[in-house]
Amino acid sequence: QVQLVESGGGLVQPGGSLRLSCAASGSIFSRNNIDVMGWYRQAPGKQRELVAVITRSGNTNYADSVKGRFTISRDNAKNSVYLQMNSLKPEDTAVYYCNLVIYSIRYDYWGQGTQVTVSS
């Protein structure tokens, strides 16, 4: 059984910071390395969009809207991914979802999401 435990969301004022964490557990990870881990977000009335992804070797890709403000990182030993969010804006308000991909077994798994609200 796979679990993705997300944490770190909440309410923050514009210009503030938050750090999201996502830890994956399950027997599948003892047999397979996670290729890509990432964060996506979905604001009310909008489609889910990519925020940032990171490969096992540390290559990253960011949405243009968060470049220079957000930093994604991962700990392969802990099957965990993090998102440091600085200089937050009201338009960053959304539910943030953790995602992981294992290419060799075509495995794609989503977390339940954590709410981030940026408001004064």
Side-chain angles (χ1 to χ4, degrees):
Q1 188 175 357
V2 174
Q3 259 196 320
L4 282 185
V5 179
E6 298 156 321
S7 61
L11 173 64
V12 64
Q13 292 187 340
S17 298
L18 284 174
R19 185 175 188 254
L20 304 183
S21 299
C22 173
S25 61
S27 60
I28 191 172
F29 305 118
S30 65
R31 302 186 298 275
N32 300 278
N33 291 327
I34 301 172
D35 293 298
V36 180
M37 301 188 80
W39 292 94
Y40 293 72
R41 67 186 181 188
Q42 187 167 17
K46 294 188 177 181
Q47 289 190 334
R48 191 174 297 189
E49 63 177 3
L50 179 146
V51 177
V53 292
I54 183 168
T55 67
R56 187 168 185 81
S57 59
N59 293 319
T60 58
N61 187 36
Y62 293 90
D64 287 342
S65 59
V66 307
K67 283 181 181 176
R69 300 188 297 123
F70 291 10
T71 302
I72 190 170
S73 60
R74 66 186 280 179
D75 184 332
N76 292 329
K78 295 181 179 180
N79 290 324
S80 295
V81 64
Y82 311 96
L83 186 68
Q84 178 66 43
M85 304 186 294
N86 298 328
S87 303
L88 282 160
K89 304 175 181 180
E91 50 263 44
D92 295 318
T93 296
V95 177
Y96 283 69
Y97 296 91
C98 177
N99 172 259
L100 64 87
V101 176
I102 302 174
Y103 290 131
S104 62
I105 57 173
R106 298 182 181 181
Y107 190 79
D108 186 349
Y109 197 83
W110 293 88
Q112 293 299 308
T114 183
Q115 177 71 45
V116 171
T117 303
V118 184
S119 175
S120 55

